[in-house]
Amino acid sequence: MRLRKTALVAAGLVAVLAAAAGCGSGSGAGGGTKNSDGSVTIDWQMWAGSSDEQKQLDHLTKLVHQKYPKINLKLRTAPFKDYFTKLQTEMSAGKQACLVSMQSLRLPGFAANLEPLDQLAKDADLSGFDPAALKALKADGKQYALPMDLGALMMYYNADAFKKAGLKAPAKGWTIDEFVADAKALKAKSGKPGFGMSFSDLNLMSLLYAYNGAQPVSGDKLTLTGKKMQDAMTWYTELATKEKVGSVPASSSEGGWGETQFANGNAMMAVDGTWNIGSTIGQAKFNASVAPLPVGSAGARTYVANSGYGISTNCAYKKQAFQALSVLTGDEAEGYLADQGRAYPARTSQQPKFGEYLAKQDPKKADLVKNALATVKDGLDGSVPFTTTQNWDQVNQLFSQYLLQAYTGATSPKNALDTVQQRAQRGA
Amino acid sequence: MAVAEATRTPAPAKRRRSRSARREQWHATGFITPSVVGLGLFTLFPVVMAVVMSFYKWPMLGTHEFVGFSNFSYLFGGDPDFLAAVRNTFVFTGLFVPLNIIVALGLAFWISTSRFQQLFRVLFFIPSITPAVANAVIWKLLYQPDGVIAYYTEKLFGVHAPNFLADGHTALLAVVVMSVWQGFGYNMIIFSAAINEMPPSVLEAASIDGATGIRKLLRIQLPLISPSLFFATVMTMISSLQVFTQVFIMTGGGPGNSTETMVMNVYQAGFVSRDLGLAAASAWILFALILIITAVQFVGQKRWVHYEH
């Protein structure tokens, strides 16, 4: 009797739990819905951090609806820092949106869940995009997303400090040796580090790439143990340990050390993306400017990184999704985002609008910003998309923990690289 | 049980009673259902799920497969960071718990005789109610190479301070110091209340018998507040074995793996490497350790905790 009752309670509990575990499924499958009037509502997943950004995205959905009245976009947003975690969990549950916003760095990890667009884009004209922007959103030779913006890694420098030290401002053709010499002269004059160091993927790896063409990833494999990479990392580390011109991050959690130190006036140069031109130049209490990365033994080199929109494989309305996608990456939408200062457009015809926006924001610094943007074209010389491995978050975490040890001299650059390489094996 | 059954009243009365008892039972079932369902749904189910997951290779994306004990054997055999994380967690706990208790106890005794006891209580409690993330960010700034601490050690002592959080020798210690500052307020409030509750008659008797100073503290006062001491130690120990926020914000587990703690290890396995099975296994080991340590404390308390005044 008692046993039966216990069994009954247990069975009831299991039933409740099963119901709870199962509930929620069935809604939103296929990333969109067909409405009774024949129109289609397509889910669009995008990151947004402020009400301004939300407003901009709402405007884009209206543009889509104007062009294609039978398509409604339903926005699903998350803050950028949570976006990819959320996307992952949704993908593992098969509940991702039809239209998925994607960053070029993260693309390899998500490509399996994205539809190659080559077939859908067969009749579309892609010539309006900067080729570098399109290329960055390819994986295995297939186009998985169309670009919203375009960014490249460049050298930010304190123009006042350069003038004070009697140095010529860096420009196209500036070499690695000149960079080190300038950093030393700046340190001698100002007493502050000439260069803000970093262990963040783009900021660090772009300068290593510029130094001798060393790249951390080949195909989709991590390749940190090669001679070239060791040489480049040794050179970078010695900026701190030997030349004493590098500002070493204060801890492994300081992902944005170099840029922040630069913007605060504590380091005279730092590598950062063009996407921060407006904010960094605007906020700096000195005249900041931007130059292409110094040229090393392999010629001019840098990385591009950007974002765009793709279509998920489980989308039930791929044709409509592509129509929406073509509006989102069209001249009008990208021009609008540039006008709003959101992004440097991937469409070449719209790129000047971004400079106009920045100039309007801070009339006193209009010339600085315009000059900086003018160098972006130079900065794109020899640029390739930055590719990553599937377990890139893990690699990044390992960079932060183990490269710092090399910068402080606690271990050798070779050891640090070997450690990261070895520990990243399991997740690869 | 059998004896009780035998001495029960005759059959008819038993049936009557059991009918009312049954009705009562239904009422009781009705009352406890919400909490049982809640407990089952939000506690038992996830706990059981975690056990199940720890035996699977369970990536965040993609399909999962049963792998037996391989997650556990990887943690103890293959993972170069897990044992370091266990060591760091125990070093942290070994430093943090005693320091926390001593500081909290010392301050509680110190303010117990003050006219401004209430004011001090509020002041010392502030770090505990400030969000830990904010505390950690501020301390990170203090520890920076050109931060406040480095500035004063240079100015006052002429000593060049290390890069506290980037140096493997000082990073964990720096986190312990910050954690003690943040954590002692809670225990101090508990001790302070216990000290105020010490029966005056016992203290008086002790003074009449000539107990003073350290002897009075060790033989009279500490035994009197031993239940609070026990409670504070157990709770502080549990929370310090789960240390995460400070480490995550201040050091990110680095440099190397010198500040990687067990919860950090769980986080990295689950949300950085996206290996939920491994994270579940790691979390279970942490749970087992906490359970064992707490059980040992409960067994040990019989020797030193006095509940009767």
Side-chain angles (χ1 to χ4, degrees), chain A residues 299-310:
Chain A
R301 288 279 184 272
T302 192
Y303 286 122
V304 292
N306 66 346
S307 303
Y309 318 106

Side-chain angles (χ1 to χ4, degrees), chain A residues 40-55:
Chain A
V40 172
T41 302
I42 291 174
D43 289 359
W44 171 30
Q45 202 152 24
M46 176 69 182
W47 51 85
S50 65
S51 58
D52 270 357
E53 290 184 359
Q54 190 78 35
K55 248 185 270 164

Side-chain angles (χ1 to χ4, degrees), chain A residues 394-418:
Chain A
Q394 189 190 359
V395 174
N396 245 333
Q397 172 73 32
L398 290 167
F399 279 163
S400 74
Q401 287 178 239
Y402 292 96
L403 296 185
L404 179 62
Q405 285 189 312
Y407 299 170
T408 57
T411 185
S412 72
K414 181 181 180 310
N415 258 339
L417 287 172
D418 288 350

Side-chain angles (χ1 to χ4, degrees), chain A residues 162-422:
Chain A
F162 267 78
K163 206 179 270 172
K164 230 180 260 170
L167 297 169
K168 206 172 88 203
K172 191 176 176 171
W174 189 46
T175 66
I176 287 281
D177 293 338
E178 287 172 311
F179 159 71
V180 178
D182 286 353
K184 281 185 184 164
L186 289 166
K187 164 106 197 226
K189 185 78 188 172
S190 68
K192 289 181 176 172
F195 177 67
M197 296 172 72
S198 176
F199 43 68
S200 294
D201 45 15
L202 283 170
N203 310 57
L204 164 66
M205 288 300 164
S206 58
L207 196 55
L208 300 192
Y209 186 42
Y211 175 74
N212 66 357
Q215 292 194 268
V217 176
S218 150
D220 60 351
K221 293 269 176 296
L222 194 63
T223 51
L224 298 177
T225 48
K227 173 88 171 53
K228 243 183 181 178
M229 178 53 81
Q230 281 170 12
D231 288 348
M233 185 58 82
T234 304
W235 168 77
Y236 191 88
T237 301
E238 283 178 354
L239 291 175
T241 53
K242 195 172 133 207
E243 313 286 0
K244 311 273 182 206
V245 295
S247 168
V248 175
S251 83
S252 294
S253 63
E254 297 282 4
W257 180 259
E259 312 90 273
T260 330
Q261 291 300 301
F262 172 77
N264 292 341
N266 292 330
M268 299 303 124
M269 290 185 276
V271 176
D272 200 6
T274 47
W275 46 89
N276 283 331
I277 284 181
S279 58
T280 303
I281 293 182
Q283 281 162 22
K285 294 208 174 70
F286 51 87
N287 289 318
S289 194
V290 175
L293 291 185
V295 180
S297 59
R301 288 279 184 272
T302 192
Y303 286 122
V304 292
N306 66 346
S307 303
Y309 318 106
I311 298 173
S312 51
T313 43
N314 76 336
C315 175
Y317 310 100
K318 292 198 176 94
K319 203 177 123 241
Q320 289 91 334
F322 189 76
Q323 288 172 334
L325 179 59
S326 56
V327 177
L328 290 178
T329 56
D331 276 339
E332 192 177 355
E334 298 212 345
Y336 167 77
L337 285 185
D339 261 344
Q340 298 286 312
R342 174 76 188 261
Y344 185 68
R347 287 208 173 255
T348 40
S349 63
Q350 304 301 317
Q351 285 171 350
K353 285 196 177 153
F354 188 61
E356 287 160 24
Y357 163 81
L358 291 179
K360 252 191 324 218
Q361 286 309 296
D362 203 344
K364 266 186 289 182
K365 291 189 173 172
D367 288 340
L368 275 178
V369 168
K370 274 201 180 133
N371 290 340
L373 280 176
T375 61
V376 171
K377 276 268 166 276
D378 295 338
L380 285 169
D381 270 2
S383 69
V384 299
F386 187 66
T387 54
T388 60
T389 58
Q390 283 208 18
N391 61 336
W392 196 248
D393 284 341
Q394 189 190 359
V395 174
N396 245 333
Q397 172 73 32
L398 290 167
F399 279 163
S400 74
Q401 287 178 239
Y402 292 96
L403 296 185
L404 179 62
Q405 285 189 312
Y407 299 170
T408 57
T411 185
S412 72
K414 181 181 180 310
N415 258 339
L417 287 172
D418 288 350
T419 310
V420 175
Q421 176 81 28
Q422 182 211 333

Side-chain angles (χ1 to χ4, degrees), chain A residues 1-9:
Chain A
M1 172 78 179
R2 168 153 302 165
L3 225 147
R4 243 179 51 208
K5 199 177 272 170
T6 319
L8 217 75
V9 170

Side-chain angles (χ1 to χ4, degrees), chain A residues 88 92 253 393 397 401 423, chain B residues 60 81 249 256 268 274:
Chain A
Q88 254 167 31
S92 63
S253 63
D393 284 341
Q397 172 73 32
Q401 287 178 239
R423 290 183 188 219
Chain B
M60 203 180 263
D81 290 325
I249 302 281
Q268 288 188 355
R274 297 169 203 164

